Amino acid sequence: MNRSRLDLHGAPYFFVTPFFLLFAVFGFFPLVYTAWVSLRSWDLTGDAGFVGTANYQRLLADPDFWNAMLNTLGMFLLSTVPQLCFALVIAGLLNRPIRALMLFRLGVLAPIVTSVAAVAIVFGQLYGRDAGLVNGVLGLVGIGPIDWQAGKGSSWIAVASMVNWRWTGYNALIYLAAIQAIPRDLYEAAQLDGAGAVRQFRSITVPLIRPALIFTVVMSTIGGMQLFTEPLLFGQGDISGGSLRQFQTVAMYMFEQSFQNFDYGYGSAIAWMIFLLTVLAGVANALIARRLKGGI
Protein backbone atom coordinates (compact mmCIF):
# COMPACT_ATOMS: atom_id res chain seq x y z
CA MET A 1 0.00 0.00 0.00
CA ASN A 2 2.79 2.40 0.99
CA ARG A 3 4.78 1.42 -2.07
CA SER A 4 1.81 2.11 -4.38
CA ARG A 5 1.31 5.51 -2.80
CA LEU A 6 4.99 6.24 -3.21
CA ASP A 7 4.82 5.28 -6.88
CA LEU A 8 1.72 7.41 -7.39
CA HIS A 9 3.09 10.56 -5.77
CA GLY A 10 6.81 10.12 -6.26
CA ALA A 11 6.99 8.93 -9.85
CA PRO A 12 6.08 12.28 -11.45
CA TYR A 13 8.83 14.05 -9.48
CA PHE A 14 11.28 11.32 -10.43
CA PHE A 15 10.58 11.72 -14.13
CA VAL A 16 10.80 15.53 -14.20
CA THR A 17 13.89 15.75 -11.98
CA PRO A 18 16.44 15.15 -14.79
CA PHE A 19 15.10 18.14 -16.70
CA PHE A 20 15.42 20.48 -13.73
CA LEU A 21 18.89 19.16 -12.92
CA LEU A 22 20.06 19.83 -16.47
CA PHE A 23 18.36 23.23 -16.47
CA ALA A 24 20.09 24.12 -13.21
CA VAL A 25 23.50 23.26 -14.67
CA PHE A 26 23.14 24.59 -18.22
CA GLY A 27 20.45 27.25 -17.77
CA PHE A 28 20.12 28.69 -14.28
CA PHE A 29 23.79 28.67 -13.30
CA PRO A 30 24.99 30.48 -16.49
CA LEU A 31 22.21 33.01 -15.97
CA VAL A 32 23.29 33.77 -12.40
CA TYR A 33 26.98 33.72 -13.29
CA THR A 34 26.40 36.15 -16.17
CA ALA A 35 24.58 38.50 -13.80
CA TRP A 36 27.57 38.35 -11.43
CA VAL A 37 30.06 39.05 -14.25
CA SER A 38 27.94 41.97 -15.49
CA LEU A 39 28.57 43.75 -12.19
CA ARG A 40 32.35 43.53 -12.57
CA SER A 41 35.04 45.02 -14.79
CA TRP A 42 36.35 41.92 -16.53
CA ASP A 43 38.44 41.91 -19.67
CA LEU A 44 41.20 39.82 -21.22
CA THR A 45 43.59 40.70 -18.41
CA GLY A 46 41.22 39.29 -15.79
CA ASP A 47 38.75 40.40 -13.15
CA ALA A 48 39.40 44.02 -12.12
CA GLY A 49 36.79 44.03 -9.39
CA PHE A 50 33.22 45.01 -8.57
CA VAL A 51 31.87 48.06 -10.46
CA GLY A 52 28.20 47.90 -9.48
CA THR A 53 25.83 49.06 -12.21
CA ALA A 54 28.51 50.88 -14.22
CA ASN A 55 28.22 48.45 -17.14
CA TYR A 56 24.45 48.99 -17.28
CA GLN A 57 24.82 52.79 -17.11
CA ARG A 58 27.34 52.61 -19.96
CA LEU A 59 24.92 50.40 -21.88
CA LEU A 60 22.03 52.86 -21.62
CA ALA A 61 24.24 55.64 -23.01
CA ASP A 62 25.77 53.52 -25.78
CA PRO A 63 24.47 54.57 -29.26
CA ASP A 64 25.75 51.34 -30.82
CA PHE A 65 23.59 49.32 -28.43
CA TRP A 66 20.45 51.29 -29.29
CA ASN A 67 21.29 51.02 -32.98
CA ALA A 68 21.56 47.24 -32.57
CA MET A 69 18.28 47.24 -30.62
CA LEU A 70 16.55 49.19 -33.41
CA ASN A 71 17.90 46.75 -36.00
CA THR A 72 16.70 43.80 -33.92
CA LEU A 73 13.20 45.20 -33.52
CA GLY A 74 12.99 46.14 -37.20
CA MET A 75 14.00 42.68 -38.41
CA PHE A 76 11.79 41.10 -35.75
CA LEU A 77 8.70 42.91 -37.04
CA LEU A 78 9.54 42.25 -40.70
CA SER A 79 10.03 38.56 -40.01
CA THR A 80 7.50 37.68 -37.33
CA VAL A 81 4.32 39.35 -38.59
CA PRO A 82 4.46 38.08 -42.22
CA GLN A 83 5.80 34.73 -41.05
CA LEU A 84 2.90 33.99 -38.71
CA CYS A 85 0.30 35.30 -41.17
CA PHE A 86 1.66 33.13 -43.99
CA ALA A 87 1.90 30.15 -41.63
CA LEU A 88 -1.76 30.55 -40.71
CA VAL A 89 -2.81 30.67 -44.36
CA ILE A 90 -0.64 27.67 -45.25
CA ALA A 91 -2.08 25.68 -42.33
CA GLY A 92 -5.59 26.47 -43.55
CA LEU A 93 -4.68 25.26 -47.06
CA LEU A 94 -3.01 22.10 -45.77
CA ASN A 95 -6.14 21.28 -43.80
CA ARG A 96 -8.18 21.07 -47.00
CA PRO A 97 -8.54 17.86 -49.07
CA ILE A 98 -6.01 18.38 -51.84
CA ARG A 99 -3.93 15.97 -53.89
CA ALA A 100 -0.51 14.88 -52.62
CA LEU A 101 -1.40 16.31 -49.23
CA MET A 102 1.31 14.42 -47.34
CA LEU A 103 3.92 15.60 -49.83
CA PHE A 104 2.95 19.23 -49.25
CA ARG A 105 2.94 18.75 -45.47
CA LEU A 106 6.42 17.26 -45.57
CA GLY A 107 7.54 19.93 -48.01
CA VAL A 108 6.97 22.75 -45.54
CA LEU A 109 9.55 21.11 -43.28
CA ALA A 110 12.30 21.31 -45.90
CA PRO A 111 13.55 24.79 -44.87
CA ILE A 112 14.01 23.62 -41.27
CA VAL A 113 16.29 20.72 -42.19
CA THR A 114 18.28 22.87 -44.60
CA SER A 115 21.63 24.10 -43.29
CA VAL A 116 21.65 27.74 -42.27
CA ALA A 117 24.92 28.17 -44.12
CA ALA A 118 23.32 26.85 -47.32
CA VAL A 119 20.38 29.19 -46.82
CA ALA A 120 22.76 32.13 -46.41
CA ILE A 121 24.67 31.23 -49.58
CA VAL A 122 21.46 30.95 -51.62
CA PHE A 123 19.98 34.17 -50.28
CA GLY A 124 23.32 35.92 -50.69
CA GLN A 125 23.14 35.07 -54.39
CA LEU A 126 19.49 36.10 -54.60
CA TYR A 127 20.23 39.50 -53.07
CA GLY A 128 23.44 40.12 -55.01
CA ARG A 129 23.73 43.72 -56.16
CA ASP A 130 25.00 43.12 -59.70
CA ALA A 131 23.71 39.68 -60.67
CA GLY A 132 21.12 38.86 -58.01
CA LEU A 133 17.79 37.37 -59.02
CA VAL A 134 15.82 39.83 -56.87
CA ASN A 135 17.39 42.83 -58.56
CA GLY A 136 16.79 41.15 -61.91
CA VAL A 137 13.07 40.80 -61.18
CA LEU A 138 12.88 44.38 -59.89
CA GLY A 139 14.59 45.53 -63.06
CA LEU A 140 11.70 44.10 -65.10
CA VAL A 141 9.37 46.63 -63.47
CA GLY A 142 11.78 49.52 -63.85
CA ILE A 143 13.39 49.52 -60.41
CA GLY A 144 17.13 50.01 -60.44
CA PRO A 145 19.60 47.65 -58.74
CA ILE A 146 19.62 47.77 -54.94
CA ASP A 147 22.69 47.21 -52.79
CA TRP A 148 20.86 45.13 -50.20
CA GLN A 149 23.68 45.14 -47.67
CA ALA A 150 24.32 48.88 -47.83
CA GLY A 151 20.99 50.19 -46.56
CA LYS A 152 19.35 49.67 -43.21
CA GLY A 153 15.86 48.96 -44.57
CA SER A 154 17.04 46.82 -47.49
CA SER A 155 19.28 44.69 -45.27
CA TRP A 156 16.41 44.23 -42.79
CA ILE A 157 14.19 42.95 -45.61
CA ALA A 158 16.87 40.55 -46.85
CA VAL A 159 17.57 39.09 -43.41
CA ALA A 160 13.86 38.91 -42.56
CA SER A 161 13.18 36.97 -45.76
CA MET A 162 15.74 34.38 -44.68
CA VAL A 163 14.07 34.03 -41.30
CA ASN A 164 10.62 33.84 -42.87
CA TRP A 165 11.70 31.15 -45.31
CA ARG A 166 13.16 29.00 -42.53
CA TRP A 167 10.40 29.18 -39.94
CA THR A 168 7.09 29.70 -41.75
CA GLY A 169 6.65 25.96 -42.38
CA TYR A 170 7.42 25.09 -38.76
CA ASN A 171 4.74 27.45 -37.48
CA ALA A 172 2.32 26.23 -40.16
CA LEU A 173 2.58 22.67 -38.83
CA ILE A 174 1.88 23.87 -35.28
CA TYR A 175 -1.23 25.69 -36.53
CA LEU A 176 -2.25 22.65 -38.59
CA ALA A 177 -2.11 20.38 -35.54
CA ALA A 178 -4.25 22.87 -33.61
CA ILE A 179 -6.74 23.20 -36.46
CA GLN A 180 -7.19 19.44 -36.73
CA ALA A 181 -8.16 19.31 -33.05
CA ILE A 182 -11.18 21.52 -33.72
CA PRO A 183 -14.44 19.46 -33.80
CA ARG A 184 -15.77 19.12 -37.34
CA ASP A 185 -19.29 19.66 -36.01
CA LEU A 186 -18.57 23.37 -35.68
CA TYR A 187 -17.68 23.70 -39.35
CA GLU A 188 -20.72 21.66 -40.41
CA ALA A 189 -22.99 23.86 -38.31
CA ALA A 190 -21.41 26.97 -39.79
CA GLN A 191 -21.95 25.66 -43.31
CA LEU A 192 -25.63 25.05 -42.53
CA ASP A 193 -25.85 28.66 -41.36
CA GLY A 194 -24.40 29.80 -44.68
CA ALA A 195 -20.92 30.78 -43.49
CA GLY A 196 -18.28 30.68 -46.21
CA ALA A 197 -14.73 29.39 -45.92
CA VAL A 198 -13.31 32.80 -44.99
CA ARG A 199 -15.96 33.41 -42.33
CA GLN A 200 -15.38 29.93 -40.88
CA PHE A 201 -11.64 30.55 -40.78
CA ARG A 202 -12.06 33.92 -39.09
CA SER A 203 -14.85 33.01 -36.64
CA ILE A 204 -14.02 29.39 -35.78
CA THR A 205 -10.45 28.50 -36.68
CA VAL A 206 -8.59 31.55 -35.43
CA PRO A 207 -10.35 31.84 -32.02
CA LEU A 208 -10.03 28.12 -31.27
CA ILE A 209 -6.31 27.90 -32.05
CA ARG A 210 -5.50 30.89 -29.82
CA PRO A 211 -3.14 28.87 -27.53
CA ALA A 212 -1.11 27.84 -30.57
CA LEU A 213 -1.07 31.45 -31.79
CA ILE A 214 0.17 32.68 -28.42
CA PHE A 215 2.82 29.97 -28.30
CA THR A 216 4.19 30.89 -31.73
CA VAL A 217 4.17 34.60 -30.91
CA VAL A 218 6.12 34.00 -27.71
CA MET A 219 8.62 31.68 -29.40
CA SER A 220 9.03 34.09 -32.30
CA THR A 221 9.67 36.91 -29.84
CA ILE A 222 12.37 34.91 -28.09
CA GLY A 223 13.93 33.93 -31.42
CA GLY A 224 13.73 37.49 -32.73
CA MET A 225 15.53 38.93 -29.71
CA GLN A 226 18.31 36.35 -30.18
CA LEU A 227 18.63 36.78 -33.95
CA PHE A 228 22.27 36.10 -34.75
CA THR A 229 23.11 33.52 -37.41
CA GLU A 230 21.16 34.88 -40.38
CA PRO A 231 22.48 38.48 -40.22
CA LEU A 232 25.99 37.22 -39.46
CA LEU A 233 26.03 34.99 -42.55
CA PHE A 234 24.30 37.65 -44.63
CA GLY A 235 27.24 39.93 -43.83
CA GLN A 236 29.68 37.11 -44.67
CA GLY A 237 30.83 36.78 -41.09
CA ASP A 238 31.10 40.49 -40.31
CA ILE A 239 30.10 40.69 -36.64
CA SER A 240 29.60 44.47 -36.89
CA GLY A 241 26.71 43.97 -39.32
CA GLY A 242 27.95 46.16 -42.16
CA SER A 243 30.19 49.20 -42.39
CA LEU A 244 27.61 51.38 -40.59
CA ARG A 245 26.25 48.57 -38.38
CA GLN A 246 23.09 48.72 -40.45
CA PHE A 247 22.04 45.13 -39.72
CA GLN A 248 23.89 44.35 -36.51
CA THR A 249 21.51 42.80 -33.99
CA VAL A 250 21.83 43.09 -30.24
CA ALA A 251 22.98 39.45 -30.01
CA MET A 252 25.75 40.23 -32.52
CA TYR A 253 26.71 43.31 -30.51
CA MET A 254 26.93 41.20 -27.36
CA PHE A 255 29.20 38.73 -29.15
CA GLU A 256 31.36 41.56 -30.50
CA GLN A 257 31.86 43.08 -27.06
CA SER A 258 32.42 39.74 -25.32
CA PHE A 259 34.55 37.76 -27.75
CA GLN A 260 36.08 40.33 -30.09
CA ASN A 261 36.72 43.22 -27.70
CA PHE A 262 37.01 40.79 -24.74
CA ASP A 263 34.98 43.09 -22.50
CA TYR A 264 33.25 40.28 -20.62
CA GLY A 265 31.60 42.48 -17.99
CA TYR A 266 29.99 44.73 -20.58
CA GLY A 267 29.04 41.78 -22.77
CA SER A 268 27.35 40.13 -19.80
CA ALA A 269 25.37 43.31 -19.15
CA ILE A 270 24.17 43.21 -22.77
CA ALA A 271 23.22 39.55 -22.36
CA TRP A 272 21.18 40.35 -19.28
CA MET A 273 19.49 43.25 -21.05
CA ILE A 274 18.46 40.83 -23.83
CA PHE A 275 17.09 38.45 -21.20
CA LEU A 276 15.11 41.18 -19.43
CA LEU A 277 13.66 42.52 -22.68
CA THR A 278 12.66 39.00 -23.71
CA VAL A 279 10.92 38.45 -20.38
CA LEU A 280 9.13 41.80 -20.72
CA ALA A 281 8.00 40.87 -24.24
CA GLY A 282 6.74 37.52 -22.97
CA VAL A 283 4.80 39.14 -20.14
CA ALA A 284 3.31 41.68 -22.56
CA ASN A 285 2.23 38.84 -24.87
CA ALA A 286 0.59 37.04 -21.95
CA LEU A 287 -1.27 40.17 -20.82
CA ILE A 288 -2.47 40.93 -24.34
CA ALA A 289 -3.60 37.33 -24.80
CA ARG A 290 -5.49 37.41 -21.50
CA ARG A 291 -7.15 40.69 -22.44
CA LEU A 292 -8.20 39.34 -25.84
CA LYS A 293 -9.52 36.18 -24.19
CA GLY A 294 -11.59 38.23 -21.77
CA GLY A 295 -12.93 40.37 -24.59
CA ILE A 296 -14.31 37.46 -26.58
Side-chain angles (χ1 to χ4, degrees), residues 108-233:
V108 298
L109 285 174
I112 302 175
V113 299
T114 305
S115 166
V116 182
V119 174
I121 292 173
V122 172
F123 275 81
Q125 297 294 322
L126 290 177
Y127 286 105
R129 183 188 60 182
D130 299 322
L133 178 62
V134 177
N135 277 344
V137 173
L138 292 177
L140 296 177
V141 294
I143 300 177
I146 299 173
D147 189 349
W148 293 94
Q149 288 192 3
K152 189 179 279 288
S154 58
S155 60
W156 289 2
I157 293 173
V159 173
S161 65
M162 296 170 62
V163 178
N164 286 331
W165 189 81
R166 285 199 70 209
W167 295 107
T168 298
Y170 169 79
N171 289 314
L173 289 184
I174 293 176
Y175 293 155
L176 178 62
I179 289 174
Q180 292 189 331
I182 299 174
R184 305 303 303 175
D185 297 348
L186 296 176
Y187 291 105
E188 293 172 0
Q191 288 177 348
L192 291 176
D193 290 339
V198 176
R199 178 63 186 276
Q200 293 176 34
F201 188 75
R202 183 167 55 86
S203 301
I204 298 176
T205 303
V206 173
L208 292 183
I209 66 168
R210 188 185 301 112
L213 291 171
I214 295 171
F215 171 77
T216 54
V217 169
V218 171
M219 295 305 295
S220 298
T221 303
I222 295 172
M225 293 302 298
Q226 298 175 350
L227 189 60
F228 180 83
T229 307
E230 286 85 354
L232 180 68
L233 294 178

Side-chain angles (χ1 to χ4, degrees), residues 30-51:
L31 190 66
V32 174
Y33 187 72
T34 303
W36 180 73
V37 174
S38 72
L39 301 176
R40 311 183 72 82
S41 175
W42 197 327
D43 57 21
L44 198 59
T45 60
D47 184 6
F50 182 77
V51 294

Side-chain angles (χ1 to χ4, degrees), residues 46-128:
D47 184 6
F50 182 77
V51 294
T53 60
N55 285 325
Y56 292 95
Q57 294 175 15
R58 173 186 167 191
L59 182 65
L60 295 177
D62 185 352
D64 288 337
F65 169 75
W66 291 111
N67 173 69
M69 183 59 66
L70 177 64
N71 293 337
T72 303
L73 293 176
M75 285 184 270
F76 165 72
L77 290 176
L78 288 176
S79 61
T80 301
V81 176
Q83 178 189 140
L84 298 183
C85 291
F86 284 135
L88 195 56
V89 173
I90 292 173
L93 295 175
L94 292 177
N95 193 46
R96 301 179 68 83
I98 58 176
R99 291 184 178 181
L101 182 60
M102 185 58 67
L103 180 63
F104 284 112
R105 289 180 178 177
L106 292 175
V108 298
L109 285 174
I112 302 175
V113 299
T114 305
S115 166
V116 182
V119 174
I121 292 173
V122 172
F123 275 81
Q125 297 294 322
L126 290 177
Y127 286 105

Side-chain angles (χ1 to χ4, degrees), residues 228-268:
F228 180 83
T229 307
E230 286 85 354
L232 180 68
L233 294 178
F234 178 70
Q236 300 177 345
D238 181 10
I239 197 66
S240 61
S243 56
L244 298 176
R245 300 178 181 271
Q246 58 268 28
F247 54 92
Q248 184 185 48
T249 64
V250 69
M252 293 169 67
Y253 188 57
M254 177 199 68
F255 190 92
E256 180 187 18
Q257 294 299 320
S258 299
F259 302 107
Q260 184 167 299
N261 298 336
F262 302 108
D263 193 344
Y264 302 120
Y266 191 52
S268 298

